[in-house]
Amino acid sequence: MKPIILDVDTGIDDAMAIAYAARSPEVRLLGVTTLFGNVPVEEATRNSLYVLELLGRGDVPVYAGAAKPLIRPEPKQYAKWVHGEDGLGGALDREPLGRAGDQSAVQFMVEQVRRLPGQVTIVAVGPMTNLAQAVLADPDFVRLAGRVVIMGGAVTVPGNVTPHAEANIYSDPEAAAIVFRSGLPLTMVGLDVTMKTLLPRTRLAEWRRKGGKFAEFMATAADFYMNAYESWKPGIGGCALHDPLAVGIAIDPAFCRSEEMAVEVVTTGERTGKTVGERSGDAPGTNVCLEVDADRFLRHFMSRIV
């Protein structure tokens, strides 16, 4: 079993990623760390606790992290039209019973990579702020981390919040720049591949047929998410599995073909948040996912999620 920390800003696709990790026998989920992004950090923490409890995994600890970017102000608004007022498409029906741990997200990350040197995979599917803070907090963090899979960026395709930038990188470009420059063993799962991994709306009926509280929750949340996608890209007929694909790559890297690139993040001007990948360059190498076996991944995801 692979020891994994899942770093999330829990909206709807993060909830799918948590379920995918929690229900995969290859994964030992050490903990979930949270931060701002799709929703404020307080809501990301609440939503993560709620999803884990629905899954019967209240044993997995949750630790709250960054409430704002490294140097920029806290966002004035969040993507509620994508994830709903509660961040879960209106499917949240109660407050979770549990509460976050006393440690910060960064303290937990650092502690775990020190406890299990070279073994811990961190799957970061929100802004890179917690990761950047861990790099800055402990000079040994980069050397001790086993593997880091990030959902973020777009090297060969346009962004999704500006023509240049993907949402997670745009939310804290300075943090992303630190992470890509750090020397961490990075795999980048960006829009280059996540927009090719669509969950069709027709598959929601499978979840509802299975029954049970979690399946109904997931179908309701995903339906809201798909409506947002339909308003953005009419006729798409589903939603992209951004965050679940990052979990999938942590489980089986063969889902994607990747190339090593030096990735730089633009932090000023109209191209802020753009991830520029060069096959040679000054930055440390990142495995950038460029092609995905979408059918095989979707089958694997659907076999685990509910």
Side-chain angles (χ1 to χ4, degrees):
M1 296 176 72
K2 301 178 181 182
I4 284 179
I5 296 171
L6 193 51
D7 190 46
V8 293
D9 56 336
T10 301
I12 295 167
D13 58 331
D14 305 75
M16 294 181 190
I18 291 170
Y20 189 19
R23 290 191 161 168
S24 289
E26 303 91 342
V27 171
R28 177 157 64 101
L29 193 53
L30 300 177
V32 171
T33 54
T34 66
L35 76 166
F36 79 98
N38 293 322
V39 294
V41 64
E42 296 83 6
E43 294 181 20
T45 304
R46 177 201 65 197
N47 292 351
S48 300
L49 289 163
Y50 177 82
V51 170
L52 286 165
E53 288 176 10
L54 279 187
L55 289 163
R57 293 301 310 273
D59 59 303
V60 176
V62 176
Y63 300 94
K68 60 181 286 295
L70 282 181
I71 63 174
R72 297 175 188 240
E74 183 177 354
K76 290 184 173 62
Q77 59 184 12
Y78 294 88
K80 294 192 173 182
W81 70 275
V82 178
H83 296 279
E85 289 296 321
D86 59 5
L88 295 174
L92 182 75
D93 62 359
R94 62 168 175 82
E95 289 296 310
L97 301 175
R99 59 187 297 270
D102 293 333
Q103 284 181 300
S104 72
V106 171
Q107 288 170 332
F108 178 72
M109 284 184 182
V110 170
E111 176 189 84
Q112 294 304 306
V113 301
R114 285 192 167 278
R115 185 173 70 88
L116 299 167
Q119 299 178 55
V120 177
T121 296
I122 299 172
V123 182
V125 298
M128 302 293 110
T129 317
N130 286 342
L131 265 180
Q133 288 179 338
V135 169
L136 296 172
D138 186 342
D140 293 322
F141 183 79
V142 169
R143 176 178 61 83
L144 295 173
R147 186 170 170 224
V148 178
V149 181
I150 63 170
M151 189 280 119
V155 170
T156 63
V157 298
N160 59 357
V161 291
T162 76
H164 308 285
E166 178 276 330
N168 285 338
I169 305 298
Y170 188 76
S171 293
D172 194 346
E174 287 78 17
I178 288 170
V179 170
F180 280 111
R181 277 271 180 184
S182 67
L184 282 166
L186 294 176
T187 297
M188 173 180 154
V189 181
L191 301 181
D192 312 86
V193 285
T194 64
M195 286 303 296
K196 300 171 185 173
T197 55
L198 295 181
L199 175 65
R201 188 183 290 275
T202 53
R203 303 300 292 265
L204 298 188
E206 296 178 33
W207 293 348
R208 290 195 165 101
R209 278 198 301 271
K210 288 187 177 182
K213 187 167 178 57
F214 184 75
E216 186 58 37
F217 158 79
M218 201 70 266
T220 300
D223 191 57
F224 185 96
Y225 196 46
M226 290 176 183
N227 288 339
Y229 264 82
E230 193 66 27
S231 68
W232 175 43
K233 287 183 176 292
I236 192 171
C239 64
L241 294 169
H242 300 290
D243 296 352
L245 183 58
V247 172
I249 293 302
I251 295 169
D252 182 0
F255 283 130
C256 284
R257 182 187 70 81
S258 64
E259 292 185 22
E260 186 170 337
M261 297 184 187
V263 178
E264 297 278 3
V265 180
V266 178
T267 58
T268 59
E270 66 175 17
R271 296 167 73 242
T272 291
K274 183 173 179 60
T275 45
V276 180
E278 300 289 346
R279 286 174 176 80
S280 62
D282 295 333
T286 295
N287 288 317
V288 178
C289 293
L290 296 174
E291 296 176 8
V292 57
D293 187 340
D295 291 339
R296 187 169 78 86
F297 166 70
L298 181 60
R299 288 195 300 272
H300 192 267
F301 170 76
M302 289 295 294
S303 73
R304 303 286 175 84
I305 184 72
V306 295

